Amino acid sequence: MALNRFILSSTRRALSTYNSKNVPIKQTQLFINNEFVPAQSGKRFEVINPATGDTVCDVAEADAADVDIAVAAAKEAFQFGSPWRTMDASQRGLLMNKLADAIERDIDYIAALETVDNGKPFKDSKYVDCNLVINCLRYYAGWADKIHGKTIPSDGSTFVYTKHEPVGVVGAITPWNFPLLMAFWKMSPILACGNTCVLKVAEQTPLTALYIAKLALEVGFPPGVINILSGYGPTAGGAIAYHPDINKVGFTGSTEVGKIIQQASGASNLKRVTLELGGKSPNIIFNDCDLEQAVAGAHMGLFFNVGQCCCAGSRIYVQEGIYEKFVKRMVEKAEARVLGDPFDPKTNHGPQIDDVQLDKIMALIETGKAQGANLETGGSRFGDKGYFVQPTVFSDVKDHMDISTTEIFGPVMQIASFKDTDEVIERANNTDYGLAAAVFSKNVDTIHHVTSALKAGKIWVNTYNVLVCQSPFGGYKQSGFGRDLGEYALSHYTEVKCVTTAIPQKNS
């Protein structure tokens, strides 16, 4: 309760300065080689506030020509003997910590900018997204001088050691649902390992990343190390995916686009690729669970960020003994959500990102009703401006229904019942995705059995959406491959070099 009072008080202080009509836009140009520059074509595109549908500003529209210039700058910054390559690893970590400090200093402005750009409630932008960005930077700053190889006791008169070297120029392509956070899930290990970066941010939400570029310049990153482009996927994103001088691409987004990026790697220079893609994650609620804990976890697992989470627990399987009670409680919690102005401290449910996403969600809701699912609450658009969708709960959902197989990416909960453990494991795994899953139970044997059987990269037990920088995140099957976060992410941004030297005589 004390923490909630602090957050509310701090939010109100920040909102005495910022609101939906009073967030100054400070950077709208591309950031290449430590300079803010217009697009080569001169083109710009509009950025829309999802809460109002109004134009916030316009920003430079990068395309292939701008990607070429940014990659050339990143390649130059990575040259053998460059200031970045010769910098002590501990100094790299210090720069990252300075960037984290600058973000913390400007956190109210950055959170307000994220809210205007993305629509999420201000308190979420500040206390979730921005705080997690700062934590991620500081975590990987600590790794910068701890990435090293081994000496190997090999056969013969040789001295053998390995080095973990940066891969080189890395292209990062990030989504709109957590704009700044996803950028730093990529950039933090990229920088810690000593790479240079060309970041293409989602066209819906470019503003916070462009402002962070200003902070990177302020704290002293060398020219060319960080390059940030606003632009569209098929043009700027495609140019990154196919570019012959990019050594690695990290992508977070849809499975459909992930497949295109993988194909682009094979058609170009076989650049390394990691993909964090879509999901249709099962959340399994057993009879013996703590019901209120399960209700809170399932609610957060679906409605957090208005369902715009790749790991959203959207397939909820509830054992028959508690099914009716569970549905009733989920409806009550959904109907208690507060929709409205994201700058209002009481709001906990913002808009969807744009009209395209809104239309997709509404179409799937109609499909759910037509296919026989029971609409318990919601199901309609909210308000007469912006892209709001009522929190929606379906019960009696069958596995073949479109709402049970399609990633909705919106505030639409689907609840199904099950009888026994073997049945629910089979149903939970019957999907092309494998990003996340959850189990709610008090039985240790059940927990271990089910978590072992589930085909997913991230599994929560008696909680949901706990995402911290120390633990890895990524999926099985068509949810992608590779891992963000934790020590595991570092391996994607380094090459292992083995050096074998002949010596006159080996002694133990």
Side-chain angles (χ1 to χ4, degrees), residues 118 120 124 177-178 303-309 337 352:
N118 171 273
K120 65 182 64 189
D124 288 350
N177 55 336
F178 295 92
F303 289 113
F304 175 63
N305 208 44
V306 292
Q308 296 176 152
C309 295
R337 293 186 70 79
Q352 311 310 129

Side-chain angles (χ1 to χ4, degrees), residues 147-153 159-164 496-499:
I147 301 166
H148 52 77
K150 302 177 180 180
T151 57
I152 299 171
F159 173 63
V160 179
Y161 65 92
T162 59
K163 296 174 64 181
H164 290 200
V496 177
K497 177 182 285 183
C498 180
V499 179

Side-chain angles (χ1 to χ4, degrees), residues 322-332 376 393 395 415:
I322 59 170
Y323 182 79
E324 297 299 333
K325 289 181 182 178
F326 182 89
V327 171
K328 181 175 183 293
R329 289 291 292 118
M330 294 311 303
V331 170
E332 291 170 353
E376 296 279 353
V393 177
S395 65
I415 309 175

Side-chain angles (χ1 to χ4, degrees), residues 488-499:
Y488 288 90
L490 297 171
S491 64
H492 303 309
Y493 300 102
T494 57
E495 297 277 14
V496 177
K497 177 182 285 183
C498 180
V499 179

Side-chain angles (χ1 to χ4, degrees), residues 48-63:
I48 304 299
N49 182 341
T52 64
D54 297 333
T55 299
V56 177
C57 64
D58 57 41
V59 299
E61 181 184 334
D63 59 22

Side-chain angles (χ1 to χ4, degrees), residues 42-98:
K43 291 181 180 179
R44 299 177 70 82
F45 64 92
E46 290 185 336
V47 176
I48 304 299
N49 182 341
T52 64
D54 297 333
T55 299
V56 177
C57 64
D58 57 41
V59 299
E61 181 184 334
D63 59 22
D66 304 290
V67 171
D68 285 342
I69 296 169
V71 171
K75 187 176 179 181
E76 180 66 24
F78 192 73
Q79 288 297 312
F80 196 70
S82 70
W84 182 244
R85 291 293 300 277
T86 57
M87 183 183 293
D88 287 341
S90 60
Q91 181 65 21
R92 287 202 307 271
L94 181 60
L95 280 177
M96 294 173 68
N97 272 316
K98 286 182 176 179

Side-chain angles (χ1 to χ4, degrees), residues 308-320:
Q308 296 176 152
C309 295
C310 51
C311 59
S314 53
R315 288 188 297 144
I316 301 177
Y317 296 101
V318 183
Q319 201 161 18
E320 291 177 341

